[in-house]
Amino acid sequence: AAVRLELDRRERELAEQRDDLARARAEAVTAARAKDLFLANMGHELRTPLNAILGCAEMLREEATAAGLGQLLPDIQTVDRSGRHLVAVIEDILDLARLEAGVPQLRRESVAVAPLAEEMEAAVRPQLRGKPLRWRMVLEPGLGDITTDATKLRQILLNLLSNAVKFTARGEVELAVRAAREGDREFIAFCVADTGIGIDADKLSLLFRDFSQVHDARHGFGGTGLGLAISRRFARLLGGDIVVDSESGRGSSFTLLLPRGEPTAEPRRD
Ligand code: ADP
């Protein structure tokens, strides 16, 4: 009888533990949803007044110029620059919140690779201005099309290219695009290489973490530490990945590998 009682007690204990576990799990799911919703709402709430601030800065700039108050322009420019930086931070946080909140809507569209690379070149050119940096683009002939989410692809490439320019004081930034094959799977490899400050080998694994910045903030590079985290998530959603190779003081290369994909018979309308 004593053994029976002991067994009953153990069984009750186990059942209670199971209940506790189920409750904790449900609470974790609710908390995660609340967090995502909070982040998304916060993003919207922050963007609205920020856009008003940026609009006012633009108006002030015009008024100051018209009234011959040129001495005000540097301060107005600081308002504008800081505001824009904040917009970029908010966009990153919103992207992350959307990614965490569930499976994002992916488009599948057929894009010609070489023109897309040329578009990226045009987008990065303004960032090169005033820096002693050579720009090089190497496109393998006959790259053809890729079927993917073009907006996300552009966002990843722009992030890699902006980083390459940001972390390179002199030398060269290069975008090389080539076709690759693994078994019967075809890929397009977009390689962004620079001759910049590089990354210590022991820090490479930290690069893709949320909010991780490998270089001392005192260097004044700015940024959020979210770009690569978001880019890798996007790359994986598109069936590919980003790999990095770097040497401290010599430069880095980030390669985005994406499956070429099957061309869609009809573009999805969404
Ligand atoms: P952010 O650029 O906003 O700081 P990222 O997620 O894009 O955020 O990059 C994270 C960190 O990785 C950067 O802060 C920097 O320390 C390092 N990093 C990224 N790209 C490069 C690069 N091309 N060269 C050297 N370091 C880089």
Side-chain angles (χ1 to χ4, degrees):
V3 173
R4 177 80 250 155
L5 272 177
E6 178 59 18
L7 273 177
D8 281 352
R9 196 181 63 76
R10 289 245 171 112
E11 221 159 73
R12 268 200 311 277
E13 258 178 33
L14 263 177
E16 272 167 23
Q17 277 170 10
R18 263 198 301 271
D19 283 353
D20 283 350
L21 202 66
R23 215 171 300 125
R25 236 182 237 145
E27 275 169 15
V29 169
T30 313
R33 282 212 193 105
K35 183 195 80 179
D36 296 334
L37 198 66
F38 170 76
L39 278 174
N41 283 339
M42 189 183 72
H44 291 297
E45 293 297 318
L46 289 173
R47 263 199 302 207
T48 313
L50 244 180
N51 283 332
I53 291 173
L54 284 173
C56 277
E58 174 61 21
M59 220 168 63
L60 281 174
R61 192 180 61 78
E62 281 165 18
E63 282 172 1
T65 310
L69 295 168
Q71 72 273 24
L72 293 180
L73 289 178
D75 286 338
I76 296 172
Q77 205 178 1
T78 304
V79 173
D80 184 71
R81 203 180 314 116
S82 308
R84 279 178 205 286
H85 175 66
L86 207 46
V87 170
V89 173
I90 291 167
E91 290 304 330
D92 274 358
I93 290 175
L94 271 184
D95 268 347
L96 198 65
R98 274 191 291 260
L99 274 170
E100 301 285 317
V103 182
Q105 282 280 314
L106 285 184
R107 287 166 177 277
R108 271 174 69 75
E109 52 215 327
S110 193
V111 209
V113 178
L116 181 105
E118 274 151 16
E119 196 190 304
M120 294 297 104
E121 173 177 37
V124 82
R125 269 209 186 281
Q127 298 176 38
L128 292 162
R129 233 171 261 152
K131 273 188 130 176
L133 276 182
R134 275 187 313 281
W135 164 258
R136 217 158 78 102
M137 188 153 81
V138 185
L139 302 181
E140 192 182 80
L143 280 166
D145 295 346
I146 183 170
T147 301
T148 191
D149 186 315
T151 308
K152 297 213 161 38
L153 168 57
R154 284 192 186 92
Q155 195 173 337
I156 300 170
L157 287 177
L158 271 183
N159 179 245
L160 297 181
L161 288 166
S162 311
N163 277 347
V165 175
K166 184 160 83 171
F167 295 104
T168 307
R170 63 189 65 81
E172 193 172 275
V173 170
E174 180 191 274
L175 171 63
V177 190
R178 62 187 167 81
R181 188 178 270 281
E182 208 183 275
D184 57 358
R185 297 189 67 200
E186 270 192 72
F187 292 85
I188 301 288
F190 300 87
C191 179
V192 176
D194 65 58
T195 55
I197 56 175
I199 300 145
D200 287 333
D202 62 332
K203 302 260 173 62
L204 281 177
S205 60
L206 303 175
L207 282 185
F208 296 94
R209 291 207 188 146
D210 295 348
F211 300 104
S212 124
Q213 295 190 302
V214 170
H215 299 94
D216 198 319
R218 277 170 304 183
H219 288 314
F221 288 119
T224 59
L226 280 174
L228 284 178
I230 292 171
S231 294
R232 174 172 266 179
R233 278 193 186 75
F234 279 168
R236 291 186 173 171
L237 277 173
L238 298 175
D241 208 349
I242 300 178
V243 288
V244 55
D245 186 20
S246 184
E247 204 179 320
S248 189
R250 309 211 67 173
S252 316
S253 79
F254 288 80
T255 302
L256 165 68
L257 265 176
L258 285 185
R260 193 190 281 279
E262 295 299 315
T264 35
E266 222 181 287
R268 226 173 71 187
R269 273 176 280 273
D270 54 2

